[in-house]
Amino acid sequence: MTVAAAVCALAAVAAAVLPAGGTAQDGTGRPASAAHAARAPEDGAGAAAAAQCTDPDASLRPSGAADGPAVQRIKARGRLIAGVDQNSYRWGYRNPADGELGGFDIDLVRAIAKDILGDPGKVTFLAIPTSRRIAALQTGKVDIVARTMTISCDRIAQVAFSTAYFETGQQVMVPKGSPVTAFDDSLKGKKVCTAEGSTAESKVREEPHGSSLLTVPNQLDCLVRLQLGEVDAVVNDRALAAGQAAQDPSVELVGKPFTSEPYGVAMNLADTDLVRRVNKVLEDYRSGGAASLWMQAYERWLAKDLKGITAPPAPKYKD
């Protein structure tokens, strides 16, 4: 199978559910979405946070001393429900050789499950498209989203985030030999692809540089469109684009990263106890220097394509 065909095959995989069985439920047996909707915060809470936003990646201080309602819900269910990607090479992808999910984000989810439930295998993975990440949290379909999700002022009005667990930036990807050289006026008259609901979409709409925009449900779909000649360039996080370029040597990254993109684990705004618990997991995950679990995951999944990273981002707290 050619690289292009393999990527197309990955992109065609339907949204996967890997549960213990059946509809995700809370500890009472009700669908998780119904339980979540009943305790959703007032709309004004998130809007106020966004209006006062100056440092969106500052989160709540870690705590694991006592189980709050969100952690109790997960323990009662006996599984963590996590929204992830299955098509982002190195981050969250299904290995075609064995059908298993793996990647940097997947390792982090398993660490959260181990801390809360004592077993890294007690996870129900739900593969969700980029554009549905926030809705999945707001409706209670998932407990967390770990899917290369950038923390931003707009998003903290809708969901809560952990501290940043990775930092990258937007960059342009094109076929080798393309006249496009960066995120600049070389894009004039070109068709640019981004994932719907991504920070890349917002940036291209804000500064199109004379280009036209095509949005697709998932960022990997953009690579397929690029391979088919349906678009001229893709704008995406460098961390994701580097993995795509590793899959297909006919494309390359051009120019320099032109934004700051801190990735966080996203949760429902009402689940403040879970935010603190995840931040406790991240404190442990970062600790140990070169021997930390974070560095081990980086070396395993990302070091080949994202060279030169020597440490995780330092956490920021707002309380």
Side-chain angles (χ1 to χ4, degrees):
M1 180 180 289
T2 66
V3 172
V7 172
C8 287
L10 275 173
V13 177
V17 182
L18 301 177
T23 303
Q25 297 180 335
D26 69 0
T28 66
R30 297 174 298 169
S33 57
H36 228 300
R39 56 182 183 76
E42 296 182 3
D43 291 343
Q52 301 172 8
C53 178
T54 57
D55 201 3
D57 52 337
S59 185
L60 299 174
R61 288 195 176 275
S63 175
D67 294 343
V71 174
Q72 289 175 3
R73 181 184 75 243
I74 294 166
K75 286 187 172 182
R77 186 193 303 127
R79 297 188 74 81
L80 175 72
I81 304 175
V84 297
D85 199 353
Q86 64 172 5
N87 293 322
S88 291
Y89 189 51
R90 310 288 197 197
W91 290 91
Y93 75 106
R94 191 175 301 284
N95 189 326
D98 57 18
E100 295 295 318
L101 281 174
F104 192 87
D105 283 342
I106 304 303
D107 279 6
L108 178 54
V109 170
R110 294 191 187 282
I112 295 169
K114 182 178 180 180
D115 183 84
I116 295 175
L117 297 167
D119 183 345
K122 290 186 175 181
V123 183
T124 296
F125 290 105
L126 299 184
I128 53 177
T130 303
S131 60
R132 298 299 297 167
R133 294 176 297 189
I134 289 173
L137 288 164
Q138 292 178 330
T139 60
K141 187 174 184 179
V142 297
D143 299 308
I144 64 172
V145 167
R147 195 186 182 286
T148 58
M149 190 168 179
T150 300
I151 306 167
S152 70
C153 288
D154 288 342
R155 287 176 175 165
I156 66 168
Q158 303 171 81
V159 295
F161 281 98
S162 70
T163 54
Y165 66 86
F166 198 84
E167 289 182 349
T168 184
Q170 298 288 337
Q171 200 164 355
V172 178
M173 184 172 67
V174 296
K176 289 181 177 177
S178 169
V180 176
T181 56
F183 189 69
D184 58 19
D185 289 346
S186 65
L187 288 168
K188 186 175 182 179
K190 306 299 184 184
K191 183 176 286 188
V192 175
C193 185
T194 69
E196 180 184 355
S198 66
T199 50
E201 179 191 0
S202 299
K203 189 64 177 177
V204 175
R205 291 193 185 281
E206 179 185 334
E207 298 181 57
H209 292 290
S211 66
S212 60
L213 177 64
L214 172 71
T215 61
V216 294
N218 286 301
Q219 50 82 22
L220 186 62
D221 298 333
C222 281
L223 176 59
V224 176
R225 297 296 183 100
L226 191 67
Q227 292 168 331
L228 295 175
E230 296 177 3
V231 298
D232 303 296
V234 174
V235 175
N236 198 0
D237 294 357
R238 175 177 177 263
L240 293 171
Q244 293 178 357
Q247 287 177 289
D248 186 351
S250 71
V251 302
E252 63 180 348
L253 302 181
V254 294
K256 295 180 179 179
F258 53 90
T259 64
S260 176
E261 307 285 329
Y263 293 162
V265 179
M267 289 152 277
N268 188 282
L269 282 172
D271 290 347
T272 54
D273 65 304
L274 182 57
V275 175
R276 294 186 188 278
R277 184 63 172 262
V278 170
N279 282 339
K280 172 187 172 294
V281 176
L282 285 171
E283 286 282 315
D284 296 339
Y285 208 65
R286 297 183 190 100
S287 65
S292 69
L293 292 174
W294 191 97
M295 286 301 299
Q296 290 177 38
Y298 164 74
E299 292 292 342
R300 180 182 181 187
W301 298 110
L302 307 178
K304 183 177 179 180
D305 304 318
L306 292 169
K307 301 182 186 301
I309 297 175
T310 58
K316 299 179 184 177
Y317 298 112
K318 60 185 177 182
D319 63 345

